[in-house]
Amino acid sequence: MLFSSKSKYSLLLASFLIMSSNVALAASSATEIDSMHQGFDTAQQCMECHGSYQENAENTAHLGKWNPHDSIHGGYVDCTNCHQQNKVEKNYCSYCHDYKPALKN
Amino acid sequence: MNNSKANLSRRKFIKGAGASSVAAVMGTSFSANAMENNPKSVYEEIYGDDVNSIYTKKGTSPGPKGPIGFEDRKISNSEIAKSYDFDVAVVGGGIAGLIAALKAAEDGAKVVLLEKMTKGRGIFECFGSVDSRTQREANIKTNKAELLDEIHRSADYRIGPDVVRTYVEKSGEATDFMEKMFNKGERGVVISPMPLKPKYPNTGAPVIDAECMFYNTPGLPKNVKFRSGFVGVQIIKDLANTAMKHPNIETKYSTPAVQLVTNGSGQVTGVIAKENNEYIKVNTNKGVILASGGYDANPEMMKAFLRPEDYSSASWWNPSWGTTGDGHMMGLKVGAAMDPVPHSVMNFTFGSPESFHIPAVRTLRAMGLYAIVNDEGKRFVREDVAFQSISNATNRQATQGKKSWLLFDDTMISKNKDIFDKAIASFETLKAKGWLFEGNSPRELEAALDVPNGNLVNTIEKFNSFKLKGVDADFNRDMEFAKEFNGKKYYALLCNSVILATVSGLIIDENGRVLNEKGEAIKGLYAAGNASGDFFSGNYPRHIPGTSIGRAITFGYLSAKHAVKGA
Ligand SMILES: Cc1cc2nc3c(=O)[nH]c(=O)nc-3n(C[C@H](O)[C@H](O)[C@H](O)COP(=O)(O)OP(=O)(O)OC[C@H]3O[C@@H](n4cnc5c(N)ncnc54)[C@H](O)[C@@H]3O)c2cc1C
């Protein structure tokens, strides 16, 4: 294993800290999950809770050659290319491919 | 006095002690976000005392982010978990790195190939070559002087003569070596000359016959053209497989090289890498070959070394993101000279706001028939010029907030009914995204695009009159290869400049040896492919056949040859 998945903070603690920050207050319309992720903007932070690049790749290994976390072009890549906090902002694969893993795998 | 800040940064950099020079290790193999919070990035400080900042407003670089391997700090011996001894270490498992590793191994050296990603980058379909076996047998006689002249002209004569001359003289030999490796491989890859279309595309520059392709390889899909990802992946897979099985090569994937090791006299004696989250040291007695590619997946480096207009409004078409300029930085850190900034980018036209207009390119008949206009419905460039030039003109429009549109009608879509129907079907998606507008007349299209009244209609009328007269009075386009607008449907497709790679790098000599600022070879250090320089200036000259892969193959081969056997 290249990367350890042990989170330094529990999600609960992290969300508590964030909820009490100005950032969370400003975005009052956000859902609970949204607020929980506020301030988590870098790949390093993502992996603190969600596990390493490899672990994420394994979680989506059933997508075969369409596995976005370990593509045929070579993994692994920074989470923030596609994810912004808890949202998938863009699917880079779909920029060039008709991204339908279920059909093509 | 005004030097003090620069001195400080120089010292900081050399000692690796300043905040900006310590790569934050994120509990991963990579130091991806190391430079993010620093007011001045390590890329700007890398030159030390003699920096002369060219005043330009920075853009934002919206492209992808790859995992950075380079670490700008002193890694002490106590941090090294394991040491290995090899003759040659190759950094990067793309085309240049694989050719280098295989050549060194075939010449008897013990080689380690370090690749940062799970797979080496493979994105290409064709490559430049002169006088290879297959070209000789097809009786192709490349005009070498013309090729050399065009390379120099395209670089505005800002390059030295040795590297490009060596490319012209030795690329055939290197291609033949690659062919030998394909013969050892399992995929049955076939190299053949790229058929030349004599007068298309007419770029205003000579058409030079010096390119090979892989399209005749059995098992590739029929419509494989423009599928650079697919072709490149297959080629790299085959070479990597041959490398893995080679008794003289040890391949290490997911193993980023992080910095070079030098001895007291400045000779490169090895490389430190990260394997399974631990530092390893590879001692080399014959050389380290940097084949780490460009830095198209490192936004901070793009901002430091490129013209802002080249990236600010661009899209990216580069699916492998190991290219973060690690080799450039490792070389600079041990005193290498680098191409002067601004660096050259490989940019194509025909970009969508996300990537490349792949479906459109496959279906529009002869990509060269369209006209290009800006938001005001006015032309701004001759449309038959080389890709990089259209990109530059498009980027110039973008600096004033103007988008570019490819203008065509239904007579310019493929004449093949199947392809025509596919095109029309794919237009639906493009329309939904706001990238394509249509109308039953120029007037209707003008309204749909919200172009100032009359502009688009005038442009089309003028264009048609140029076609009739055979002369483009505005931009000197070769009207023989244009078509008048007279269809039933008129279209405007949003067109970006799209980035494929960066192509400037460390200055090398004709043997691939990296040079310092005095022009002396740094012992034990080589560079090949997009990590190397002295080949391009301004842009990647797309109209010259395949010099990027051609250079990577040639200098991967030559640097390995020199490292193992000397000159
Ligand atoms: C869509 C597309 C189509 C193209 N088509 C063509 C074409 O037809 N003809 C042509 O000539 N050119 C083409 N190009 C350009 C071509 O892909 C590049 O110029 C070429 O890949 C450069 O080869 P290279 O070996 O120098 O570097 P790369 O292929 O970029 O390989 C560098 C490798 O080094 C690895 N690496 C980086 N840092 C480290 C590190 N620290 N440690 C270990 N490994 C590291 C990277 O992960 C990567 O695998 C195309 C590019 C694109 C995007």
Side-chain angles (χ1 to χ4, degrees):
Chain A
M1 272 294 108
L2 271 182
F3 314 120
S4 136
S5 67
K6 296 280 166 288
S7 30
K8 276 195 191 143
Y9 317 100
S10 74
L11 270 181
L12 207 67
L13 175 63
S15 60
F16 173 77
L17 288 171
I18 297 299
M19 298 269 268
S20 53
S21 77
N22 292 336
V23 186
L25 290 176
S28 51
S29 65
T31 67
E32 206 173 319
I33 284 274
D34 290 343
S35 2
M36 194 186 264
H37 283 84
Q38 291 226 10
F40 289 81
D41 295 316
T42 66
Q44 182 185 0
Q45 290 172 313
C46 303
M47 290 188 291
E48 295 274 354
C49 300
H50 293 277
S52 67
Y53 287 124
Q54 282 92 334
E55 284 167 307
N56 282 287
E58 280 156 28
N59 286 341
T60 48
H62 60 282
L63 297 172
K65 70 173 184 178
W66 291 100
N67 186 350
H69 296 124
D70 185 11
S71 90
I72 59 162
H73 301 292
Y76 308 98
V77 294
D78 199 292
C79 315
T80 61
N81 286 300
C82 298
H83 299 272
Q84 201 178 38
Q85 297 173 352
N86 51 319
K87 304 237 161 61
V88 179
E89 279 295 305
K90 48 189 169 190
N91 177 349
Y92 251 106
C93 305
S94 74
Y95 282 16
C96 299
H97 301 279
D98 201 3
Y99 189 71
K100 288 180 185 160
L103 294 181
K104 289 200 179 175
N105 195 25
Chain B
M1 255 322 270
N2 59 357
N3 244 351
S4 59
K5 210 171 157 194
N7 278 333
L8 180 70
S9 63
R10 177 66 168 175
R11 243 176 292 129
K12 261 177 16 186
F13 180 71
I14 288 171
K15 290 188 184 157
S20 66
S21 59
V22 180
V25 183
M26 42 190 256
T28 74
S29 272
F30 309 116
S31 51
N33 300 308
M35 280 52 127
E36 238 171 30
N37 299 322
N38 299 312
K40 199 163 186 213
S41 79
V42 64
Y43 307 116
E44 289 167 282
E45 297 193 346
I46 192 78
Y47 284 112
D49 297 352
D50 309 322
V51 178
N52 177 18
S53 289
I54 298 171
Y55 178 77
T56 122
K57 194 172 189 301
K58 252 188 206 177
T60 46
S61 185
K65 254 164 113 178
I68 292 168
F70 169 68
E71 286 188 36
D72 177 24
R73 68 180 188 99
K74 175 125 186 63
I75 296 171
S76 67
N77 274 337
S78 63
E79 292 179 76
I80 307 289
K82 273 185 214 142
S83 286
Y84 301 91
D85 293 323
F86 284 93
D87 295 322
V88 174
V90 178
V91 176
I95 186 80
L98 284 166
I99 295 294
L102 286 164
K103 174 63 181 162
E106 287 283 293
D107 286 356
K110 292 280 175 206
V111 183
V112 65
L113 176 72
L114 305 169
E115 167 55 55
K116 171 164 63 174
M117 310 293 273
T118 53
K119 289 168 193 75
R121 169 166 151 147
I123 330 165
F124 51 84
E125 356 171 30
C126 309
F127 63 98
S129 173
V130 179
D131 285 351
S132 64
R133 178 207 60 81
T134 176
Q135 289 166 298
R136 289 193 310 272
E137 283 176 16
N139 210 20
I140 289 164
K141 296 200 167 46
T142 302
N143 185 336
K144 294 186 193 178
E146 190 183 35
L147 171 57
L148 255 180
D149 184 38
E150 193 55 27
I151 295 175
H152 279 288
R153 188 194 312 279
S154 300
D156 269 329
Y157 304 93
R158 289 183 215 270
I159 52 173
D162 299 335
V163 174
V164 293
R165 184 179 51 234
T166 305
Y167 166 72
V168 172
E169 284 170 0
K170 297 285 170 91
S171 51
E173 183 184 327
T175 299
D176 291 346
F177 172 77
M178 182 167 75
E179 187 170 56
K180 225 170 93 190
M181 295 303 103
F182 288 141
N183 293 340
K184 277 189 160 199
E186 289 167 1
R187 182 72 177 77
V189 175
V190 173
I191 302 176
S192 36
M194 178 82 176
L196 198 66
K197 292 189 183 154
K199 235 198 139 199
Y200 173 82
N202 185 354
T203 63
V207 176
I208 302 164
D209 199 353
E211 192 167 28
C212 291
M213 62 178 197
F214 305 105
Y215 296 146
N216 291 340
T217 300
L220 290 181
K222 270 206 199 106
N223 60 347
V224 75
K225 282 187 193 174
F226 306 115
R227 289 197 178 178
S228 333
F230 188 86
V231 178
V233 165
Q234 300 291 327
I235 303 304
I236 292 301
K237 206 170 169 182
D238 189 60
L239 291 172
N241 189 36
T242 305
M244 281 177 215
K245 290 199 304 206
H246 202 292
N248 283 353
I249 302 179
E250 185 166 336
T251 52
K252 289 180 184 291
Y253 282 80
S254 302
T255 307
V258 301
Q259 59 184 239
L260 295 168
V261 181
T262 51
N263 66 12
S265 56
Q267 179 178 350
V268 172
T269 56
V271 57
I272 295 175
K274 236 175 169 190
E275 184 182 30
N276 295 325
N277 215 24
E278 286 180 335
Y279 290 106
I280 60 165
K281 189 171 173 184
V282 175
N283 301 307
T284 52
N285 55 34
K286 293 194 189 299
V288 175
I289 300 173
L290 299 172
S292 45
Y295 52 83
D296 44 279
N298 182 339
E300 293 304 313
M301 204 155 162
M302 299 285 284
K303 285 194 274 187
F305 295 146
L306 292 179
R307 291 174 176 82
E309 65 271 27
D310 279 358
Y311 56 79
S312 300
S313 56
S315 331
W316 269 248
W317 185 26
N318 60 339
S320 305
W321 296 342
T323 42
T324 58
D326 301 345
H328 293 67
M329 298 303 290
M330 288 192 267
L332 287 170
K333 184 135 192 199
V334 300
M338 184 169 73
D339 280 323
V341 289
H343 280 176
S344 312
V345 70
M346 182 188 292
N347 50 2
F348 279 20
T349 182
F350 245 97
S352 76
E354 291 175 344
S355 166
F356 195 59
H357 274 309
I358 297 171
V361 169
R362 293 217 185 101
T363 50
L364 294 184
R365 181 158 61 94
M367 279 152 67
L369 291 181
Y370 57 82
I372 299 187
V373 295
N374 63 14
D375 281 332
E376 288 173 358
K378 293 181 179 164
R379 287 173 74 215
F380 53 85
V381 64
R382 61 178 282 184
E383 296 86 352
D384 57 353
V385 83
F387 275 9
Q388 71 274 8
S389 310
I390 300 180
S391 269
N392 291 346
T394 293
N395 289 339
R396 165 64 181 75
Q397 293 300 312
T399 59
Q400 314 257 292
K402 289 183 195 134
K403 296 195 182 83
S404 299
W405 300 90
L406 301 179
L407 208 61
F408 57 97
D409 70 22
D410 52 358
T411 69
M412 300 174 192
I413 303 170
S414 176
K415 285 183 169 166
N416 172 309
K417 188 174 177 320
D418 262 9
I419 301 178
F420 183 93
D421 291 346
K422 264 194 193 148
I424 300 296
S426 76
F427 288 174
E428 291 309 311
T429 322
L430 297 170
K431 276 191 267 180
K433 288 183 167 180
W435 299 350
L436 184 93
F437 292 85
E438 63 176 47
N440 293 321
S441 64
R443 175 78 56 202
E444 261 190 45
L445 181 60
E446 186 177 274
L449 254 186
D450 206 14
V451 164
N453 201 9
N455 281 10
L456 199 66
V457 174
N458 285 345
T459 294
I460 288 177
E461 277 171 8
K462 207 171 174 193
F463 190 89
N464 283 351
S465 79
F466 290 161
K467 174 67 191 168
L468 205 64
K469 291 186 200 121
V471 177
D472 170 4
D474 287 342
F475 297 99
N476 202 32
R477 172 175 178 169
D478 182 350
M479 293 310 284
E480 192 190 331
F481 289 84
K483 199 199 153 297
E484 67 175 334
F485 285 83
N486 59 359
K488 292 197 175 67
K489 277 261 186 219
Y490 293 77
Y491 301 93
L493 176 65
L494 192 54
C495 178
N496 258 35
S497 168
V498 52
I499 290 176
L500 284 75
T502 64
V503 295
S504 298
L506 304 174
I507 303 295
I508 54 170
D509 70 5
E510 66 271 26
N511 298 305
R513 288 186 294 186
V514 174
L515 305 181
N516 66 19
E517 280 174 9
K518 289 185 198 144
E520 304 155 344
I522 298 174
K523 284 202 182 108
L525 188 62
Y526 298 82
N530 286 353
S532 69
D534 218 14
F535 211 111
F536 307 109
S537 177
N539 285 104
Y540 176 73
R542 162 64 171 65
H543 62 289
I544 305 176
T547 43
S548 84
I549 292 292
R551 155 176 88 156
I553 294 166
T554 306
F555 284 92
Y557 170 83
L558 291 175
S559 56
K561 188 174 170 188
H562 188 273
V564 181
K565 293 190 170 163

